[in-house]
Amino acid sequence: MPPTKQKRSRRRTLRQILGGVRRRVRRAAGRARRVWRRSLQLQVVTSTLVISMVVMVVLGVFLSTQINKSVVDSRTRSSASEAMADRLQIADALAPEVDDQAAKVADGGKMSANPLDDVMDTVTGSADDGSKKRYDVLILNEASPGQSRASGTVVPANVPHNVSAGVRRNVEKLEYGKTVHSIDRIMFSGQSQPRLTFVVGGVVHSYTGDNYEVYHFFPLDEEEELLSSVRLALVVVGLGLVLLLAAIAYLVARQVVTPVRLARQAAERLASGKLDERLKVRGEDDLARLANSFNEMAANLALKIHQLEELSQVQRQFVSDVSHELRTPLTTVRMAADLLYDAREDFDPMAARSAELMQAQLERFESMLADLLEISRYDAGAATLDLDSVDVRRVVLRAIEDSEALAERHGTRFDLRLPAEPCMAEIDNRRVERILRNLLFNAIEHGEGREIVVTVGADRDAVAVAVRDHGIGLKAGEDTMVFDRFWRADPSRARTIGGTGLGLAISREDATLHGGWLQAWGQPGEGSQFRLTLPRTAGAELKGSPLSLVPPEIEMRRTWRGAMTPVLLPASGDVHDED
């Protein structure tokens, strides 16, 4: 394989690996978010843990600072006192009377010729308790060669610059009593790590006029170890307290969340139809009172539902009985009306017009009675399907033929858009044709004489029919209300085709009985579109529709304007539409 192809292959493999990692990370993050959103106990424990950590960090920093300040201040005060005492001894050693005493005892050989040697042994020797002093001293006299002394491994280069500069400024100002101090990490000769050291610098002015710079080096190793132990103890104790608080929060949250979780589960079972679901009541606290309130609510809800079911049953029975009982007198009235209507030419104009009006209203009454009977069948759960494999295009054509006379009276024409291939589906031919007639009649009534577009589409799983008018349209929220029984967008607007107000409600029931969707879209001034989607195979679950609910020209206009298309909920309550 050429090198270029190998590089491309490696890059492609790397991209695939990175893509897989990103997908796994996103899935893990999604699962974590779901767990976080659903678990009240996790939220309480996590919040307690975070707040406790913040409080412990603040308290730990404050305590550590105070302890550090207390220990260091105590050490620096004692060190400054020792440095002052040493400088006094050095000043005394350089006084004239010390030189006279040295001359007097010269024969005994008990004192050295240079008093600095003796005083260095004194200030760096043993402490009062017999232990060796833990600090070193450096005496500098740059004006007189050979008058500088140092203990231990201290050299002039170990003096911090700010301390030496401060001491020289005090000399220039003749302020010999002032001292300069600083805490620094100093690398002494023969050591591998710098040591935290408190350095005190001062001046000793001799009677000869020479100025001796005296620097004391106090190591803070023990204090640093002590502070490290204190910080470690604070961290350990803080973590222990945080974990203890988290455990307490977990127990408390569990004690509170468990009854809430039980109430949630009982509410879900109650919502699913198990009206006898109740909560156990323990104690007399707020949770027990919540359980009592829930049980009372469930009992009242079960009672109300039972009453509503009985009332609904009575209403359905009343509608069914009245509808059936009206058929016999309606048949008699129909026969009499037909006789009067056939003989209207022999009547005077007023009687003839009355016969025509009676005939028209009887037809409307019969249509309403048929719709009421159909609704009563759906309410009673007695509606069934007579399925057959049918080409939906033929059903659409028959529905349009039945609507052409009405369309001509309103000056409306149809724009039919059918696919070239058959759209076979297992449907109840009579019910689907009734749905399409209702949609076409509704479009004619509200289309204001403009063109009505009828589109048929199909894919592997579903067939769809869309009826588009360019009339008054629908306002926001009316796309679901339009399927309610006897609902009218404008109550003051008269029905022009004598509808009963049940056509779209029956159409939705017919679509639901097929396992399909009947949905509506509309905008004021843009018209409306109704879409019927049915599965090709009876009983199959719909996952999408071959046709868009929003008309294509509206979608294109929104795209040109750069606007987002709103999500429209299906009128039938189904939320699986993937258009």
Side-chain angles (χ1 to χ4, degrees), residues 149-404:
R149 297 291 186 275
S151 65
T153 58
V154 176
V155 294
N158 296 138
V159 180
H161 176 71
N162 59 334
V163 176
S164 60
V167 170
R168 292 188 178 91
R169 282 195 300 271
N170 292 338
V171 172
E172 293 174 357
K173 297 177 181 180
L174 303 180
E175 296 176 346
Y176 302 118
K178 288 186 176 182
T179 59
V180 182
H181 54 80
S182 176
I183 297 178
D184 295 280
R185 289 194 176 274
I186 301 175
M187 177 67 76
F188 293 100
S189 178
Q191 296 182 354
S192 59
Q193 296 293 333
R195 299 175 64 185
L196 188 65
T197 306
F198 177 60
V199 182
V200 181
V203 180
V204 174
H205 186 69
S206 67
Y207 72 96
T208 59
D210 292 337
N211 293 320
Y212 292 86
E213 300 176 11
V214 181
Y215 299 98
H216 286 74
F217 297 83
F218 297 92
L220 301 179
D221 297 339
E222 294 182 359
E223 289 75 11
E224 190 173 14
E225 292 179 0
L226 174 62
L227 293 176
S228 297
S229 301
V230 170
R231 284 193 292 269
L232 180 60
L234 288 176
V235 171
V236 173
V237 172
L239 289 177
L241 287 176
V242 168
L243 295 177
L244 181 61
L245 289 174
I248 294 174
Y250 173 79
L251 295 177
V252 173
R254 183 173 182 177
Q255 186 177 3
V256 176
V257 170
T258 299
V260 175
R261 185 180 293 116
L262 294 176
R264 189 258 304 167
Q265 294 173 352
E268 290 177 350
R269 289 191 290 269
L270 185 66
S272 65
K274 299 179 180 178
L275 301 181
D276 58 344
E277 186 67 28
R278 298 295 183 270
L279 289 176
K280 294 182 180 179
V281 181
R282 297 185 179 91
E284 299 179 356
D285 55 8
D286 291 337
L287 294 175
R289 293 163 62 186
L290 173 63
N292 278 323
S293 300
F294 178 87
N295 293 339
E296 292 177 3
M297 178 195 69
N300 293 331
L301 182 61
L303 178 61
K304 293 296 182 182
I305 290 177
H306 181 67
Q307 293 175 352
L308 290 174
E309 287 178 348
E310 290 182 346
L311 179 60
S312 178
Q313 180 65 29
V314 170
Q315 290 177 342
R316 290 196 299 267
Q317 188 65 36
F318 174 77
V319 172
S320 178
D321 293 343
V322 169
S323 301
H324 282 89
E325 291 298 329
L326 285 176
R327 296 184 70 88
T328 300
L330 182 61
T331 302
T332 304
V333 174
R334 162 60 71 183
M335 293 172 61
D338 289 341
L339 290 174
L340 293 174
Y341 184 76
D342 293 339
R344 68 184 183 279
E345 296 180 356
D346 299 332
F347 300 155
D348 60 84
M350 292 294 294
R353 179 58 180 164
S354 298
E356 292 175 355
L357 290 175
M358 184 174 63
Q359 184 76 7
Q361 293 303 315
L362 275 174
E363 291 178 355
R364 182 181 180 186
F365 186 71
E366 286 180 337
S367 176
M368 182 181 295
L369 186 60
D371 289 344
L372 286 173
L373 286 172
E374 189 68 21
I375 285 292
S376 66
R377 292 191 189 97
Y378 279 114
D379 291 339
T384 58
L385 293 175
D386 184 11
L387 297 175
D388 192 11
S389 182
V390 178
D391 187 355
V392 177
R393 298 180 304 172
R394 296 183 179 275
V395 181
V396 172
L397 291 174
R398 286 196 298 270
I400 290 179
E401 289 177 1
D402 295 339
S403 307
E404 282 181 348

Side-chain angles (χ1 to χ4, degrees), residues 488-514:
R488 297 173 68 181
D490 186 3
S492 63
R493 181 185 175 97
R495 298 186 186 274
T496 61
I497 60 175
T500 63
L502 295 173
L504 291 179
I506 294 175
S507 298
R508 184 178 61 176
E509 296 290 349
D510 284 335
T512 305
L513 191 62
H514 282 82

Side-chain angles (χ1 to χ4, degrees), residues 450 470-478 521-528 557:
R450 300 174 184 172
H470 299 81
I472 59 176
L474 297 173
K475 299 178 182 178
E478 292 182 351
W521 168 92
Q523 284 185 357
E526 296 287 351
S528 60
R557 195 180 308 165

Side-chain angles (χ1 to χ4, degrees), residues 110-124:
K110 298 295 179 97
M111 298 187 67
S112 62
N114 193 330
L116 289 177
D117 296 332
D118 295 330
V119 76
M120 281 295 293
D121 294 337
T122 301
V123 299
T124 60

